[in-house]
């Protein structure tokens, strides 16, 4: 590979690392081209899976301020995630279950280095949309409770005042 090609490749990987909110480093030895194509589809539209050269990726990671050196050994491919990292982690985990040749080495999330186990834990999380829906449901439930409480206070006051008026009318009629 010519030097200008290497420089361009490093610049491209650096840009992808900076633009991504997560990157997952994998080993793909033993996967066929058809399996790699299937893997790319399983990651969704917010992730790009790319086979990379270790030495160029080390340079790009240093330029991007990311620590990936320990994962860049052997055949390496990186999933650059620009969307929900949980979705991409699930796609990689599920694909690795069906195709043991894919090995998750580690990665980075929002600039923090992750081990392979941490990426698997990330895959076990629910997606961002599900978590937001649960939060919205919990907030709606609390609002309903607050509304019922606020409605109960005036209602109780009115019933108490009516009972007091009735008692006074009863005492006034008995005298």
């Amino acid at each position: 590979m010519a030097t200008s090609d290497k420089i361009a490749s490093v610049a491209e990987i650096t840009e992808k690392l900076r633009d991504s909110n997560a990157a997952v480093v994998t080993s793909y030895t033993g996967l066929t081209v058809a399996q790699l194509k299937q893997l790319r589809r399983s990651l969704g539209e917010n992730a790009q899976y790319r086979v990379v050269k270790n030495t160029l990726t080390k340079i790009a990671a240093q330029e991007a301020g990311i620590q990936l050196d320990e994962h860049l050994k052997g055949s390496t491919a990186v999933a650059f995630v620009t969307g929900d990292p949980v979705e991409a982690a699930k796609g990689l985990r599920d694909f690795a279950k069906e195709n043991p040749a894919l090995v998750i080495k580690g990665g980075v999330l929002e600039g923090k280095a992750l081990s392979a186990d941490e990426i698997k834990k990330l895959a076990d999380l629910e997606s961002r949309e599900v978590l937001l829906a649960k939060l919205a449901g919990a907030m709606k439930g609390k609002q309903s409770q607050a509304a019922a409480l606020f409605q109960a206070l005036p209602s109780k006051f009115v019933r108490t005042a009516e009972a007091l008026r009735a008692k006074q009318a009863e005492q006034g009629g008995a005298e």
Side-chain angles (χ1 to χ4, degrees):
M1 186 182 276
T3 305
S4 62
D5 290 341
K6 289 179 182 178
I7 292 170
S9 185
V10 167
E12 183 182 350
I13 295 170
T14 303
E15 183 181 334
K16 286 187 182 302
L17 287 170
R18 286 183 179 150
D19 292 345
S20 302
N21 55 359
V24 180
V25 181
T26 65
S27 174
Y28 64 92
T29 303
L31 292 176
T32 65
V33 173
Q35 288 172 321
L36 286 173
K37 195 173 186 179
Q38 179 186 359
L39 172 59
R40 286 183 174 103
R41 280 195 302 265
S42 72
L43 290 177
E45 54 193 54
N46 295 325
Q48 183 181 20
Y49 190 74
R50 180 170 171 202
V51 174
V52 295
K53 290 192 174 284
N54 291 334
T55 54
L56 300 180
T57 306
K58 282 180 186 179
I59 295 167
Q62 288 173 351
E63 288 182 12
I66 295 172
Q67 185 62 32
L68 287 177
D69 290 358
E70 65 189 65
H71 306 302
L72 298 174
K73 294 175 180 75
S75 62
T76 304
V78 179
F80 298 100
V81 183
T82 55
D84 185 8
V86 173
E87 180 184 344
K90 283 182 184 190
L92 286 166
R93 179 201 60 197
D94 294 345
F95 188 86
K97 282 181 184 176
E98 296 173 16
N99 303 284
L102 179 74
V103 177
I104 298 172
K105 296 179 180 181
V108 64
L109 174 65
E110 308 268 337
K112 181 189 176 289
L114 297 176
S115 68
D117 289 336
E118 289 173 320
I119 291 173
K120 290 173 185 169
K121 287 178 185 176
L122 180 66
D124 292 336
L125 291 176
E126 293 174 328
S127 71
R128 182 176 187 272
E129 290 78 20
V130 171
L131 291 174
L132 287 173
K134 285 185 174 183
L135 177 63
M139 290 174 66
K140 183 179 178 189
K142 294 295 179 188
Q143 288 175 345
S144 297
Q145 288 176 344
L149 178 65
F150 292 139
Q151 186 177 3
L153 291 174
S155 175
K156 187 174 182 180
F157 175 73
V158 169
R159 284 193 305 270
T160 304
E162 184 61 35
L164 183 60
R165 188 187 60 75
K167 187 174 183 180
Q168 286 177 346
E170 186 179 292
Q171 286 178 352
E175 290 179 21

